[in-house]
Amino acid sequence: MSDQIEGAIDGAVRGEILQRLRAAEREHDVRVLLAVESGSRAWGFPSPNSDYDVRFIYARPRDWYLSLDVEDRRDVIEYDIVDDIDLNGWDLRKALKLLRKSNPSIVEWLRSPIVYRDDGDFAARARALLPEVYAVDKGVFHYLSMADKNYHGYLKAKLVPLKKYFYVLRPLLAIRWLERYRTPAPIEFEPLRALVADNEILDKEIGRLLARKQRSQEKEFVPVIPALNEFIEHELSRLSRYQAKGDAPDGDLNALNTLFRHCMEAP
């Protein structure tokens, strides 16, 4: 965990987040198992007015899951953004089903460098299962979809949203990590950026953009940056021919069921 990133959350804000998590537990009769930061603050390049993207995984009482209509019951808790705090969570069952599919959101929550609440059990056990449940090829296709959608949706004009460059660069660099190391990519941007450090022009442009992002407002626009667009287009073209190494199966259901039952037995 980066101490610099972890320490980027103001103490008063952290206290307010913890208070809201406790309020959510009382309101919905749930136990928060893990609560983390998931957005640009966790990635290491927030703007001065970036929201706090708080995401949490919660468990309900055991009998809630032993209901005939459990499939029809709501499995998310969402709140309106108040004072820049965006708070929402997923039910444990939903989270584990998505983990089995190598969903990037749940994988990234488990690996976030900014942790608000941790019951000391669930997250550690879930992380230990990643080698058994994470499919690299699924990760590649998830990140490729993110990059392609954001590039063609936002970065083809003369003036473009600054932050959208990172919504494209980060998934593309995460793919490079997956291709090289065959393990889930880091959440923080700096280890990913290191993968292209040998490209001096690209690294210089990324550094300039990072510096501007960290002093700019969330909705700032910038002129299109040719060196970045050239890299992005090259990667999208290259990855359009990406071949999965066989059909990636879903993760180990038995292992995830064991973790789910363990959480049900916890006090």
Side-chain angles (χ1 to χ4, degrees), residues 73-125:
R73 294 187 174 192
R74 187 165 173 78
D75 56 6
V76 299
I77 294 174
E78 298 173 306
Y79 291 97
D80 293 334
I81 299 174
V82 178
D83 297 330
D84 297 326
I85 297 176
D86 179 6
L87 183 78
N88 66 69
W90 287 350
D91 176 76
L92 172 65
R93 187 168 176 269
K94 175 186 180 74
L96 292 180
K97 289 172 71 175
L98 288 173
L99 182 58
R100 188 178 182 227
K101 300 287 186 180
S102 299
N103 177 275
S105 293
I106 180 61
V107 173
E108 291 186 0
W109 296 2
L110 289 171
R111 294 164 56 80
S112 173
I114 301 177
V115 178
Y116 297 111
R117 283 271 300 272
D118 186 344
D119 72 348
D121 187 36
F122 163 74
R125 290 175 180 269

Side-chain angles (χ1 to χ4, degrees), residues 226-242:
L228 295 185
N229 281 45
E230 181 180 345
F231 169 76
I232 291 166
E233 289 177 2
H234 175 272
E235 288 296 279
L236 291 176
S237 175
R238 178 181 72 82
L239 291 165
S240 69
R241 300 183 294 275
Y242 182 86

Side-chain angles (χ1 to χ4, degrees), residues 19 53 105 114 162 259:
Q19 180 176 322
D53 296 309
S105 293
I114 301 177
L162 187 161
L259 175 55

